[in-house]
Amino acid sequence: MTKNYVGAVLIIGGGVSGIQASLDLAESGLKVYLVEKNPSIGGGMAQLDKTFPTNDCSMCILAPKMVEVARHPNIELITYAEVKEVKGHVGNFRIKIQKNPRYVDEKTCNGCGLCAEKCPVLIPNEFDSNIGAQKVIGLPFPQAVPAVYTIYKDFCIECRSCEFVCDKKAINFQQEPQEIQINVGAIIVSTGHAVFDAAKKSVYKFGIYKNVITSLEFERLLSASGPTQGHVIKFSDGQEPKNIAFIQCVGSRDEKIGNPYCSRVCCMYATKEAIIAKEHNRNLEITIFFMDLRAYGKAFQEYVQRARDEYGINYIRARVSDIQEDTKTNNLIIKYIDTVTSEYKKFEADMVVLSCGLVKQNNAEKLAQILNTELDENGFFKEKDLKTAPMDTAIPGIYICGTAQGPKDIPDSVAQGSGAAARAVIPIAEARGTLIKEKIFPLEKLVTIEEEPRIGVFVCHCGTNIAGVVNIPEVVNHAKSLPNVVYATNTVYACADDAQTQIKKAINDYNLNRVVVASCTPRTHEVLFRGTLKEGGLNPYLFEMANIREHSSWVHTHEPQEATERAKDQLRMAAAKARLLRPQEEKEIPVIPSALVIGAGISGMMAALNIADQGFKVYLVDKKSEPGGLLKEIYKVFPTNGYSKDVLEPIIKKVKEHNNIELLTSSTVKEVVGYIGNFDVKISREDQDILVKVGTIVVATGSQEFKPNGMFGYGKHPNVMTQLELEQKLANHELKNPKNIVMIQCVGAREENGRTYCSRVCCAVALKNAQTIKEMYPNCDVSICYRDIQSFGKKHEEYYEKTQEIGVNFLKYEPEKPPSVNDGKVLVFDNVLRREIELDADYIILSTPLVPTEDAETLSKTLKVPRSPDGFFAEAHAKLRPVEFMSDGIYLCGCAQGPKDITDSVSQACGAASRAIVPMAKGKIKLEALTTFVDIDVCIGCGQCVKICSFNAIKLKEIKPGISKADVEEVICKGCGGCVPTCPTGALSQKGFETIQIRSMVKAFLEE
Amino acid sequence: MKYPKIVTFLCSWCGYGGADTAGVSRFQYPPSIRVIRVMCSGRVDSAIILEAFELGADGVLVCGCHPGDCHYSDGNLKAEKRINDLKQILELVGFGSERLRLEWVSASEGAKFASVVKEFTEEITEIGPNPLKK
Ligand code: FES
């Protein structure tokens, strides 16, 4: 029976999580309406200069995604618009949207920018945090999607010069708000956050002293495309600052101003801003005043360490009580309490940056009312269940993701974006594919290798990322001098939407049959440009890239002339190869609609359920005899203090009863061969081999608790135990009337070498167990010796407060002076008394990190997927691909990727499920086009290649009686080219990497 | 010769990734290399390496995935064998094998990539320009 469900989803908010949700949904057969209140999508991430902890340029990684959204045939982008009314229910919501007038026609405007040039009125630039100025008509930022101008009517003097210069006649002062009505089956709220208004924290004198600025303003100052082109200046005199102080937790962890929660990202973004500022000016002094340093994510701890050691950034644990300005110098005198020593101190800086927290979106209440959903006490959207349903709301069919649900960083937002997509499809899965259309590309121009190449070259500035070092005009001129280059130009951002238009136009205007882009790495951007060629009517393989950023401007920063030479050489080599490129055909093969999920802990089970609920078969494998993973060994969960079995049991039950899930316990994955869409998996179960065929694989193998043998008497003394061991004892009421319990944090974690990372959950675990102890044994004293309390999750800060209120004793220690254990007593250095104090302890509890499981190494070999230096599995990209591997068709989630709590594991699990569903829902994937091919006339049938191919992709085939020739099976060939060098006659060739192409590059370099 | 000319073949998954990571992390290294991307180090032909030397390359560097990490199972081992054989030939003909180098660099080893280039460049500078250079 069909229920007439609508196969479309409304996504409210086009930041990075909304973008991710849109792409996942559109790719898996749903029609998407993406509504954005601003003139462009991009959200908060678009305003960032760099991202932590890789210092990736934020816009560079975001822009390709924005372009993908714009060009997706199944995403309808409705910008500068607001949702006004929602009626109906899951499966069939009726929505009214108001589209605000831009006074520029979206269909006609081609983003040429003449209007802004002519516009005489300047207004503060909101995108630049109001530091710089922009015209009344403008784009919020150069890479805006859509690249359509907007008139900010409130400021417009209606001189009409824009109307006069616009030869497209796109300006329309008569535009009225427009009402749009749509029907959708589900809704995702990804409206993001706002930034705390620093003026509300009056002691910091923001808005009064010129040199007190916000972190977002500082970010824009750092940005090469910002108001000062990346020059950090003081607003008092326009001079470069010499001594900057960052103040953390402005508008967060602050009960008084009504924001008790931790904003989760500020410690890291402050560290990033400090590092980038130091990179701009090595002589700068930077001090960060912080409460607890929350560097809990993958490679965060190491990032802070580098900030300290390599960049000399100074961190002071403090609470700032006041800031005064020296009226002569405009310098700022910061009064603070050093919270390590409890001393009052002063510090003079010439610039103060306030690390403002993330707060609820301004229109959250209004939207919640329209949707009839609830907000939490801090104004973020409230989830149905914080632990197991963080992206569901109480209303069926309405989901949330990203910072709309609570502060979080980019990868967590992206994971939730995907996760919300998976959740949204489940109720309407049957309507999948009913409203979508295939993209129609223009007819491909016929290009043969014989005809004269006509190459177009585009050299990217990447803001100042490249242009700040490499002499772009020189590179463009060099390109013009090369044979067959008929067109060469520069472009500020080659990845921006308008640059794609520019490339397509050039293909047409100059009748190009090859395109070369000199910009960044093909590993992330080749796909984008190939798509542009396709849209421009050229075969996507007639494209070549020269990497002049990662491989030139960023690595020869201090030798601009040499960097320019390298850029010219790499470009010349790319052009030489381009001349010889041939068009290639992309074939498609079907995808087996079933998945393998490895690991049946909470992450694996949630991933399996989300895939199975969308109608796909799942094989869920676990080495243990029962599902449940690490959570099975846990007594209670934070911050709700519910029993973990109450979380776990319903999920196990669902898994066991699900028709689409085949649970294989006591089983291990032995062998995996094949590729996305077609994996052959050998599972061994009690000496028996089971063979299954799957289209995708999710790794959810979890982690285990580190056993600190030999540390603090662990292993020798029965009363020294880990947190997990304590939980067992608490569950069984085995502690014998304890009077004093001491917990020590970071045992075997955040080390200088080895386990350098923060394990992210141990602080919350300690708080939870301390609370449980206090509840069970009210007279027992509990002390926690800690380095930084990491209570960054939703409701965690409040949980920490509560732990303090019930009388748990917190003692801060520095890594240089760790606690020690002597004769049943714990000795801790008291920073205030400046001497060691003794704590009685009936039990000593060690908080140890989660470490990779023992089989992680084997599994990484079996699947050929990498691990990060910490031993956990390595995701494809730290920011934008958090739940997938670099290898297509294999995904990851939960603690297998790095320590995390249930909420974050579930978010990732749903995210990984969504990513794994995409190819299965599409039902087909494109084959590798760049396979090996054989020149039959040259092949002598010697069979060398047959022997060397690791995939058995080549066979000898009898073409005439007695004459055999090599034959490549294209479905199996992975396009490594490993066979080519073995061919004695040169009959073998790899498409796109032909010997003459590679030789042409060598020659182009050396023969110059 | 301010900087030697080093033809550098990087596999797309690890070597090229390592070079990208060096860039992202701003690890500086001498501007001596010019990169040719191949899908796997196993694609690199001895004939092409020889041609590079004939055309005057001062060095040839090949970077692939660590053993066991090759995206195509064992292309890197194929490369290792070919390059070792080629080194012997280079020794035999009196050209010497120190201008040819194979290194394993993973996509996360930006620092290693930078130091490999730095060291190799220093060594090549030490031995001087390619005598075959016209
Ligand atoms: S893919 Fe890197 S060596 Fe084969």
Side-chain angles (χ1 to χ4, degrees), chain A residues 127-139:
Chain A
F127 183 77
D128 281 335
S129 214
N130 295 327
I131 307 174
Q134 68 168 82
K135 296 293 182 67
V136 166
I137 185 165
L139 285 181

Side-chain angles (χ1 to χ4, degrees), chain A residues 668-673 680-684 689-692:
Chain A
T668 46
V669 173
K670 271 267 134 21
E671 198 182 286
V672 176
V673 287
D680 286 309
V681 183
K682 194 193 276 175
I683 298 163
S684 80
D689 279 349
I690 304 168
L691 297 175
V692 299

